[in-house]
Amino acid sequence: MLTSLVRRLPPVARRDATIKELRRRLRRAELDAPPTERTRTEGTRTEGTRTEGTRTEQPATAMQSPSFLYKLREAGRIHGHLKRLGGPLPMWELNRKHRGYRFAVSHGVAIPPVIGAYARPADVPWDELPDAFVVKTFHGTASHGVMPVRRDGDRFRDLLSSRHLGVEDIQARLTRLVDKGSVSEELFIEELMTAPQGTGLEVVPDYKLYCFYGTIGMIMVAGRRSRAADGRAFRYFDADGADMGNARPGLALDQSLPAPRHLEALTSTGRLLSGAIRSPFVRVDLYERDEGVVFGEITPAPGGVQVLRPELDASFGELWEDAQARLEREAITAGARTTGYGPEPHDHLWRF
């Protein structure tokens, strides 16, 4: 009772609120700490108590070494501030597929053959489309707006789920996603590109390049056997085409997914586009077919589980910092980063 009354006093209440906020921030820092800095301690003593086999977070140590996961989360927070401040966000504008296509074409990179662009699903002349095509919204999250289909009688087979859909089913699915805010109403219809021979895939392999302002950290090939969350698997390669093993523990690894056949074209395209975007990190998504490399999309901030193996988290964090330093150096050299002197005379002081 007495404790409750004391805590109502303004100074003590403020102190308690401050302690609570500091504890909340500490817990947030612990959760943001990369896997490399999370350790298990046996029989350690903390604040006079003994803990047996408990997990101890070390956020202060974590902040002393590079971390890709930390930089990715930091970039997300900065993006939130930029949105609040208003103004253009050039890299994020490229996340809309039609703008990404324009960007790719401007650099001489091939894009998927587009049959038509439409303001809404009801405007698509479904009966006039070829036997195989891809429905792709201008904007979408987690591949929700991508639907490769093949005509089967008077219906279409979704190549990712093997379900048979009528036009009304396709339109209903897109409408649900639009209503949820997951995709845009505007959409493309593209030709279904043929996967390279010998891959056994119906859909072209999707290569996702982790790019750090012209430097390739990793090539991730994504394969999807179904639309279910557990129907997706991955394989990982470095910029030289060497298999990296399971780079993202906890996600399904599929060693049967194809290695890049056009490795030089793939990596040179990633370097070209990421260098032109002028951001410390961006993911450049590309497709591969027998004829060569085709642009997919620009992904400024990959979603999902982005926890890498500890040594990769540190290595990619260092690549991010190096790219950030190079961009900063270029800005300084170009005069975009200068010290603003005041108008008062000062040149006569201490000239050496």
Side-chain angles (χ1 to χ4, degrees), residues 30-299:
E30 290 172 347
L31 292 174
D32 280 351
T36 47
E37 302 302 332
R38 294 177 182 169
T39 61
R40 291 186 178 274
T41 58
E42 296 290 336
T44 56
R45 188 174 300 275
T46 305
E47 294 183 356
T49 61
R50 190 173 181 83
T51 59
E52 296 292 338
T54 58
R55 183 174 179 172
T56 303
E57 307 288 351
Q58 298 180 346
T61 305
M63 287 184 282
Q64 295 174 10
S65 60
S67 166
F68 173 76
L69 182 60
Y70 176 83
K71 295 297 289 184
L72 190 63
R73 290 178 174 176
E74 178 189 57
R77 293 190 292 270
I78 292 173
H79 175 62
H81 290 301
L82 289 171
K83 287 176 65 177
R84 176 178 54 81
L85 293 170
L89 298 170
M91 179 174 67
W92 281 89
E93 291 172 3
L94 296 179
N95 191 225
R96 296 184 67 85
K97 290 183 177 62
H98 64 299
R99 292 176 181 165
Y101 282 8
R102 293 173 186 164
F103 173 70
V105 168
S106 77
H107 288 282
V109 179
I111 62 173
V114 177
I115 296 171
Y118 308 92
R120 54 183 183 163
D123 295 338
V124 178
W126 300 99
D127 293 338
E128 301 173 15
L129 296 177
D131 288 342
F133 56 88
V134 180
V135 179
K136 190 178 290 185
T137 56
F138 278 27
H139 179 70
T141 58
S143 301
H144 286 308
V146 179
M147 192 185 311
V149 298
R150 189 179 297 277
R151 197 181 298 275
D152 189 357
D154 60 349
R155 297 173 73 78
F156 298 97
R157 181 169 65 90
D158 182 343
L159 300 182
L160 296 182
S161 69
S162 294
R163 288 183 55 203
H164 284 77
L165 308 169
V167 170
E168 65 282 358
D169 299 318
I170 296 175
Q171 291 179 327
R173 178 189 289 178
L174 291 171
T175 299
R176 286 195 301 271
L177 292 171
V178 170
D179 291 343
K180 288 170 59 178
S182 299
V183 303
S184 63
E185 192 170 26
E186 304 92 344
L187 70 158
F188 293 113
I189 301 295
E190 298 177 353
E191 292 182 17
L192 179 67
M193 294 184 290
T194 304
Q197 294 182 0
T199 62
L201 299 174
E202 283 195 282
V203 180
V204 288
D206 185 4
Y207 293 92
K208 302 176 182 296
L209 280 64
Y210 284 58
C211 301
F212 302 87
Y213 188 37
T215 300
I216 310 297
M218 179 171 71
I219 303 169
M220 178 179 74
V221 55
R224 188 182 283 276
R225 307 301 181 190
S226 72
R227 287 194 176 276
D230 60 357
R232 201 166 197 197
F234 305 90
R235 193 178 177 190
Y236 310 90
F237 301 90
D238 66 17
D240 296 322
D243 194 313
M244 297 175 67
N246 196 358
R248 297 165 70 191
L251 297 183
L253 182 69
D254 186 350
Q255 293 294 113
S256 70
L257 290 171
R261 296 190 178 187
H262 304 280
L263 180 64
E264 178 56 36
L266 205 69
T267 54
S268 63
T269 300
R271 293 187 185 101
L272 171 67
L273 297 184
S274 68
I277 289 172
R278 303 182 63 76
S279 174
F281 170 76
V282 67
R283 202 183 72 195
V284 178
D285 298 355
L286 304 170
Y287 300 118
E288 195 177 55
R289 55 181 181 174
D290 283 327
E291 296 85 350
V293 170
V294 179
F295 178 79
E297 65 180 332
I298 297 297
T299 304

